[in-house]
Amino acid sequence: MPTSPSDPSSFGPPADASSGPLADPLFDPLFDLAVIGAGPAGLAAAVTAADLGLRCVLLDGGQGTGGQYYRHPAPGLGAARPDRLHHHWSAYTGLADRLAAHERAGRAAFRGGHQVWALERTGDGFAAHVTRGPESTDRATVRSRSVLLATGAYERQLPFPGWTLPGVVTAGGAQAMLKAGLVLPGRRIVVAGSGPLLLAAASSLVTAGAEVPAVVEATAYLGYARRPGVLAGVPGKLVEGAGHGGALLRHGVRLRPRSAVVEAHGTDRVTGVTVARLDARWRPLPGTERRIDCDALAVGHGLLPQIDLATELGARTRTGPDGAVALAVDARLRTSVPGLWSAGETNGVGGADLALAEGELAAYAVAGALPEAGTLRRRSRLRAFAELMAAAHRPGPGWTGWLRPDTDVCRCEEVPVAAIREAVDDLGAGDPRTVKLLTRAGMGWCQGRMCGPAVACLAGSAPGSASGGPGPDRRPLGCPVPLSQLAAGPSPESPAS
C-alpha cells in the first residue's frame, strides 16, 4: 500500500518547484505542470495547481472533462437532469466552473481530444506526445516541467463461453451508454462479475427503466467485515452502498452472492445466461446451474490501473491485494521517476472521492505548498478502504473452471483457450509474454487490456496481473497511433494546439 501522509510537513517544496510570475499558458512554450487525464483526479489536480499559481495544461482523449466517472450526455441530447445519473454531481460542476475561470484568466488550458501516446523525459522536464485520433494526421508535443498522471483505470474481464455475443457489455460500458447516450444495452439486463461497480451499475440501470433480474456477485461481501475500523472511517461509502441496495430492493432485484455467469447463450444476440454457485476459490459447483433469460449482460470483475505511460519511463510499481499492478508513490504522491506524480486510480483503484483528494494533494506537492490536514486524513481513510475493497473482491483462481477449449480468450485475435493451453503445456510457455509470441494473444487493438489477466492466469501467473511477470508490460505506444502520424517527422512544440 502506498505511504499515507500523516501530517502536512511531508509536503515541503520539491527540489524542482517552479517559481516566477505567471505567463499566459496559451503562449508559454513550457508549462509548469501537464496533467494527463481529466477525470476526478486530473480535474481536481489541474484546478488546484492553477489556484496555487502553476501554469497548467490538462490533456484528455475525450472532448470534454469528467473522465469515465463524470461522463455526461452531449448538449445536443437535451438532457434536463444529468445530475440524476451521478453521485455528487455538484463536485464536478464546481471543478468545471473553476477550470473555466482559470482558462478565461489564462492560468490554465484544457485540451480535449488530445490522447497522449508517449511520455518522454527531456532536459527541462517532459514531452507529452499527443494524437487527435486514428483518422487524423495531426499530432503535437506538449512540454512541461512536471507531469501528473491521472489516467484512471479500465475494466478487468474474465472470459466465459459466449462472452463475445452481441449484447454482452462491460458493467462500466453499460453505465457509459446510459450516461453519455441516454440509452440502455437492453431491456432485461443481468449484471454480473465482482466489485462495487456492480451495485452502482445495477442501480443506475433499474432507475433508468431497465429490468434487472439478478446481480450476480462472485464474492459474498464478507471480506469487508474483517476490518470494521476501516469501514467506520468512511461513512459516506456505507451510505452510498445503502442507497444502491435500497434502489435494488425497491425494484425487486435479487442479489446472488458467491455466484457467476458461466455461459451466455444466443446466436445473433445474447438471449440468456447460465449462473452457477461458486466455492471459495471461484470454482463452479456442479448441479447449481440455473438459466436466466435476458437480452443483455453487463459483466466486469473490478478495475485495473491504466499506468502504461509511467511504466514505459521505468516507474516503480506495486501489486495490490486484488493482484492488480499499480504505481508505487510516496507520501507526496511522487512516483520513482523524478518530476512525475500520480493521483487516483493509477495508484490503486479507490473511487472518485479518493481520486479527488489525491488530485488536490498531488497539486499541492508539485507546487511545494502545504495542503489542509483534513484532506490528508480523508485520503488516508479512503486509501485504506480501497485496499480493503481490493482484498474483498480479489478473483479466485478457480474461475478457469468455467472455460471450454473453444472459448475465445483474446477477442481481438480470436485465440481460444485450447491454443493458450497448448502453448503452456506442450510448447513450454511459462509467462504471458511467451504465450503472446506463440499465439498472438494480446497483440490486437486493445494490446492485451481485455485478455491480459486471463492469459496470465492460464500461463500460471498472478491472476490479477496484466503481465504476469516481474512487472507490468511496457508499451512504447500508450494507444493506437496511425503510421501516418509516426511518419510525419518530429512533432511540433504546440502547447496551444
Side-chain angles (χ1 to χ4, degrees):
M1 174 176 180
T3 305
S4 295
S6 56
D7 63 81
S9 62
S10 64
F11 279 74
D16 60 350
S18 59
S19 60
L22 277 176
D24 187 337
L26 300 182
F27 299 101
D28 195 285
L30 183 67
F31 289 101
D32 292 321
L33 176 66
V35 179
I36 304 175
L43 190 55
V47 168
T48 304
D51 288 345
L52 296 170
L54 297 182
R55 296 182 299 271
C56 181
V57 60
L58 178 61
L59 305 170
D60 195 274
Q63 294 299 324
T65 59
Q68 298 299 324
Y69 186 80
Y70 289 124
R71 183 189 288 267
H72 48 278
L77 292 176
R81 293 289 305 277
D83 55 298
R84 297 184 65 181
L85 300 172
H86 298 83
H87 288 281
H88 310 302
W89 178 247
S90 60
Y92 166 69
T93 56
L95 289 171
D97 290 344
R98 289 166 61 193
L99 177 65
H102 282 307
E103 288 197 274
R104 289 192 297 269
R107 292 186 292 265
F110 170 60
R111 295 293 172 257
H114 282 52
Q115 180 138 12
V116 179
W117 58 268
L119 190 61
E120 181 184 5
R121 294 290 304 275
T122 63
D124 53 6
F126 294 86
H129 302 291
V130 301
T131 176
R132 294 187 179 181
E135 303 302 323
S136 173
T137 59
D138 185 21
R139 67 190 179 106
T141 295
V142 177
R143 301 189 180 277
S144 62
R145 293 184 178 89
S146 299
V147 167
L148 194 153
L149 198 66
T151 45
Y154 57 96
E155 286 192 80
R156 169 165 38 201
Q157 291 295 300
L158 301 179
F160 51 88
W163 77 304
T164 58
L165 281 170
V168 178
V169 299
T170 66
Q175 280 196 307
M177 292 173 68
L178 179 58
K179 290 180 179 180
L182 304 180
V183 297
L184 295 167
R187 300 306 305 175
R188 182 175 166 88
I189 310 166
V190 172
V191 178
S194 185
L197 180 59
L198 299 188
L199 296 181
S203 175
S204 298
L205 293 171
V206 296
T207 301
E211 179 186 359
V212 177
V215 174
V216 184
E217 164 64 59
T219 63
Y221 295 105
L222 297 178
Y224 288 95
R226 295 171 185 162
R227 298 184 64 187
V230 172
L231 289 177
V234 287
K237 294 294 183 183
L238 299 178
V239 172
E240 184 178 330
H244 293 319
L248 299 181
L249 187 63
R250 288 192 300 273
H251 289 86
V253 178
R254 180 175 179 181
L255 177 63
R256 293 179 172 272
R258 287 287 185 198
S259 302
V261 169
V262 296
E263 185 173 2
H265 308 284
T267 51
D268 298 329
R269 183 181 176 87
V270 61
T271 57
V273 297
T274 294
V275 174
R277 292 277 294 174
L278 304 179
D279 67 13
R281 293 177 59 81
W282 286 32
R283 291 175 297 204
L285 296 174
T288 63
E289 299 86 355
R290 178 182 175 182
R291 176 166 173 145
I292 301 177
D293 292 333
C294 61
D295 62 359
L297 168 64
V299 60
H301 291 276
L303 302 171
L304 298 172
Q306 180 70 46
I307 58 176
D308 307 46
L309 295 173
T311 54
E312 182 61 19
L313 291 175
R316 190 166 58 86
T317 62
R318 70 181 185 95
T319 301
D322 61 345
V325 178
L327 293 178
V329 295
D330 65 11
R332 295 173 60 238
L333 300 174
R334 294 178 302 187
T335 72
S336 60
V337 177
L340 179 64
W341 277 259
S342 171
E345 314 287 53
T346 46
N347 300 336
V349 173
D353 291 339
L354 176 57
L356 290 168
E358 290 198 341
E360 181 180 336
L361 291 173
Y364 271 95
V366 175
L370 297 178
E372 294 183 1
T375 307
L376 290 166
R377 290 192 295 269
R378 185 167 73 254
R379 184 256 174 172
S380 180
R381 292 194 298 267
L382 289 168
R383 182 51 70 186
F385 176 75
E387 299 292 295
L388 174 61
M389 180 174 64
H393 295 284
R394 179 184 177 91
W399 70 267
T400 57
W402 63 58
L403 297 175
R404 293 199 301 250
D406 62 346
T407 303
D408 278 337
V409 176
C410 175
R411 300 173 63 157
C412 299
E413 297 292 326
E414 299 182 334
V415 181
V417 170
I420 294 175
R421 285 182 169 153
E422 179 186 20
V424 174
D425 298 337
D426 299 337
L427 303 179
D431 60 85
R433 204 159 282 145
T434 306
V435 171
K436 179 194 297 186
L437 294 173
L438 293 173
T439 67
R440 293 192 58 82
M443 287 190 178
W445 182 264
C446 81
Q447 287 294 284
R449 290 178 180 88
M450 289 288 285
C451 67
V455 173
C457 281
L458 292 171
S461 302
S465 170
S467 67
D473 279 339
R474 295 180 61 175
R475 301 182 178 95
L477 304 180
C479 65
V481 184
L483 289 176
S484 58
Q485 292 191 21
L486 296 178
S491 55
E493 296 183 13
S494 180
S497 61

